[in-house]
């Protein structure tokens, strides 16, 4: 952090100062704050966590600029000045704190017309007690570019008491295609706060997949803005909570231009003693005619002591649109279990098969290839832990 402070440009110093000022003046949300009714932050003691550097690992990216933000300040200063922080509002207590405190992050910049042959992999560890990890990710695809980026946040053990406060910005240029996979398996004793926002320009495409397994409490916000005509986004999310965990996902699909398409689906599996909330909003701005938007959230409760809330929403300011949503919360179907056990399966195997079938619909939304295979394997491994 000290090394970064000595080399940062004036524009970044000014933004850090503003972030620090806002962090002091903006209160943390409580359960009376809109969007936070189901997530209690009363146990969060920010003073218990100290800023920590991150030993990130980055692989791939031939043909693009893939570098730590501390290095990008020297190699691509103009891009950072123009793009870093351009998609998120600093008038937010967690973004403001990240703005003031981030010590590093990753820049992925794919030039115009470049199509990367291999995925870029980013591994971010949250591995020290008392650490406050303030992380930034900025991905910029210029016109006609194509890339796949896998970002994974993890901890080596579930008893690490830490806090991850991350800001992710995804900028998809005209006729560009980004596949972004963000998975987190941080300590189940840690806090997580993630503010993630994507903007897709004319005829661009975003395929965004997210998995949430770790953390004790917090919130992940995923916002997609379809800013140009003909742009589209497909967002696929899955989570699996174990005893004592509370998982909170807040998603927005904003249609800001005509002839845009968004398709969002989340599925969650919750074991005994775990809770989750998903809140989704489809926003159609004035003039965004011929919008086609869909969202769904389905939760499978593995025990009567598990609980989920699913809250879909629509805000439509155009008249030629098609917007639909669905939400369902259910326990494992007893008739399905009876059918399978009557054919020789043990109750445990039958239950596993029902759960796998529930999640298979999520996996099938992903294109065939390494992403689908790895997410399927990750879900299978997580189920083995919580069942």
């Amino acid at each position: 952090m000290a090394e970064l402070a000595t080399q940062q440009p004036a524009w970044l110093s000014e933004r850090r100062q503003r972030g620090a000022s806002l962090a002091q003046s903006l209160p943390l949300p409580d359960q009376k704050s809109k969007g936070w009714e189901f997530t209690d932050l009363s146990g969060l003691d920010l003073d218990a966590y100290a800023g920590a550097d991150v030993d990130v690992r980055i692989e791939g990216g031939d043909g693009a600029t893939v570098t730590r933000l501390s290095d990008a300040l020297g190699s691509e200063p103009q891009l950072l000045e123009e793009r870093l922080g351009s998609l998120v509002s600093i008038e937010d207590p967690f973004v403001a704190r990240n703005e003031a405190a981030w010590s590093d992050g990753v820049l992925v910049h794919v030039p115009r017309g470049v199509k990367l042959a291999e995925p870029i992999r980013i591994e971010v560890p949250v591995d020290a007690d008392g650490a406050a990890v303030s992380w930034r990710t900025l991905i910029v695809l210029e016109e006609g570019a194509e890339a796949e980026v896998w970002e994974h946040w993890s901890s080596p053990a579930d008893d690490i008491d830490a806090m991850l406060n991350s800001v992710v910005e995804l900028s998809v240029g005209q006729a560009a295609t980004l596949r972004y996979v963000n998975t987190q398996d941080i300590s189940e004793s840690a806090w997580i706060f993630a503010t993630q926002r994507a903007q897709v320009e004319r005829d661009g495409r975003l395929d965004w997949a997210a998995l949430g397994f770790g953390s004790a409490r917090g919130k992940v916000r995923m916002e997609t803005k379809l800013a140009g005509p003909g742009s589209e986004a497909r967002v696929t999310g899955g989570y699996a909570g174990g005893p004592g965990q509370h998982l909170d996902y807040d998603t927005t699909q904003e249609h800001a231009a005509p002839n845009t398409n968004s398709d969002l689906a989340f599925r969650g599996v919750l074991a005994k003693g775990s809770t989750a909330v998903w809140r989704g909003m489809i926003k159609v701005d004035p003039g965004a005619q011929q919008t086609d938007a869909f969202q769904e959230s389905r939760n499978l409760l593995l025990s009567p002591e598990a609980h989920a809330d699913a809250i879909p929403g629509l805000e439509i300011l155009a008249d030629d649109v098609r917007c639909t949503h669905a939400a369902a919360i259910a326990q494992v179907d007893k008739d399905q279990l009876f059918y399978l056990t009557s054919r020789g399966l043990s109750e445990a195997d039958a239950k596993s098969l029902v759960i796998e079938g529930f999640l298979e619909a999520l996996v099938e939304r992903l294109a065939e290839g390494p992403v689908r295979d790895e997410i399927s394997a990750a879900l299978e491994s997580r189920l083995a832990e919580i069942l």
Side-chain angles (χ1 to χ4, degrees):
M1 183 74 175
E3 180 182 352
L4 179 60
T6 62
Q7 64 183 14
Q8 65 186 14
W11 64 265
L12 183 54
S13 296
E14 292 172 3
R15 283 180 39 176
R16 286 198 184 283
Q17 291 171 7
R18 185 176 177 221
S21 176
L22 287 170
Q24 293 297 317
S25 62
L26 293 172
L28 292 179
D30 58 27
Q31 290 183 278
K32 295 181 180 179
S33 305
K34 185 177 180 180
W36 293 85
E37 295 88 346
F38 298 92
T39 298
D40 182 9
L41 302 186
S42 60
L44 175 61
D45 179 7
L46 292 173
D47 293 333
Y49 304 100
D53 292 331
V54 179
D55 187 19
V56 63
R57 188 171 77 248
I58 306 172
E59 298 177 359
D62 290 345
T65 298
V66 183
T67 185
R68 299 180 73 135
L69 285 180
S70 54
D71 296 324
L73 286 170
S75 61
E76 297 217 34
Q78 184 175 352
L79 178 73
L80 286 191
E81 184 174 1
E82 292 174 353
R83 300 295 189 98
L84 190 67
S86 64
L87 299 185
V88 296
S89 171
I90 195 174
E91 303 282 344
D92 174 275
F94 294 102
V95 175
R97 283 169 170 78
N98 181 284
E99 190 84 7
W102 69 265
S103 60
D104 215 343
V106 168
L107 167 68
V108 175
H109 180 208
V110 187
R112 179 175 180 174
V114 172
K115 298 183 178 182
L116 302 186
E118 299 293 334
I120 296 166
R121 292 177 179 263
I122 304 166
E123 296 280 346
V124 182
V126 181
D127 56 5
D129 270 323
V133 177
S134 298
W135 182 256
R136 298 289 294 228
T137 302
L138 174 62
I139 300 175
V140 179
L141 270 62
E142 304 290 358
E143 181 179 350
E146 185 172 336
E148 188 170 296
V149 181
W150 300 5
E151 183 168 13
H152 182 55
W153 307 331
S154 64
S155 299
D158 279 334
D159 59 354
I160 292 172
D161 182 4
M163 180 179 70
L164 172 63
N165 182 17
S166 172
V167 174
V168 175
E169 296 174 281
L170 311 175
S171 179
V172 183
Q174 183 172 323
T177 298
L178 172 63
R179 289 176 294 277
Y180 177 65
V181 181
N182 181 208
T183 56
Q184 73 87 358
D185 191 14
I186 67 170
S187 166
E188 293 181 24
S189 301
W191 293 87
I192 186 169
F193 301 99
T195 305
Q196 306 174 314
R197 195 157 198 268
Q199 181 161 305
V200 188
E201 304 298 340
R202 176 187 290 269
D203 297 325
R205 176 177 173 83
L206 171 65
D207 200 343
W208 187 350
L211 285 185
F213 298 153
S215 77
R217 198 167 293 270
K219 182 187 279 285
V220 176
R221 291 173 289 180
M222 301 169 60
E223 300 182 3
T224 304
K225 182 177 182 179
L226 298 169
S231 57
E232 57 183 300
R234 186 177 179 88
V235 181
T236 303
Y239 49 85
Q245 285 184 274
H246 176 75
L247 303 170
D248 183 339
Y249 280 86
D250 198 319
T251 67
T252 300
Q253 301 148 260
E254 181 183 359
H255 292 255
N259 300 294
T260 54
N261 178 282
S262 68
D263 179 355
L264 179 145
F266 264 67
R267 292 204 171 198
V269 175
L270 301 175
K272 180 179 180 180
S274 64
T275 59
V277 56
W278 168 83
R279 182 190 302 267
M281 176 62 70
I282 294 174
K283 296 178 62 177
V284 181
D285 295 344
Q289 305 295 356
Q290 297 185 331
T291 283
D292 189 343
F294 173 75
Q295 64 176 354
E296 74 164 359
S297 171
R298 300 188 183 277
N299 289 274
L300 188 62
L301 309 183
L302 306 186
S303 163
E305 287 76 34
H307 179 81
D309 292 285
I311 311 164
L314 301 174
E315 184 180 308
I316 301 174
L317 300 176
D319 54 17
D320 182 12
V321 303
R322 182 172 65 179
C323 299
T324 55
H325 58 72
I329 300 169
Q331 295 191 13
V332 175
D333 192 305
K334 293 182 179 179
D335 290 338
Q336 290 180 335
L337 289 180
F338 177 78
Y339 176 85
L340 293 170
T341 54
S342 68
R343 278 153 179 78
L345 290 179
S346 68
E347 184 172 346
D349 288 342
K351 190 174 184 180
S352 294
L353 196 61
V354 170
I355 297 168
E356 289 170 7
F358 172 77
L359 292 173
E360 185 62 27
L362 198 71
V363 174
E364 288 177 352
R365 288 173 53 88
L366 306 171
E368 290 188 8
V371 171
R372 179 189 281 197
D373 294 342
E374 291 206 15
I375 286 184
S376 180
L379 285 168
E380 184 178 347
S381 176
R382 178 58 174 167
L383 289 178
E385 293 178 0
I386 66 173
L387 286 178

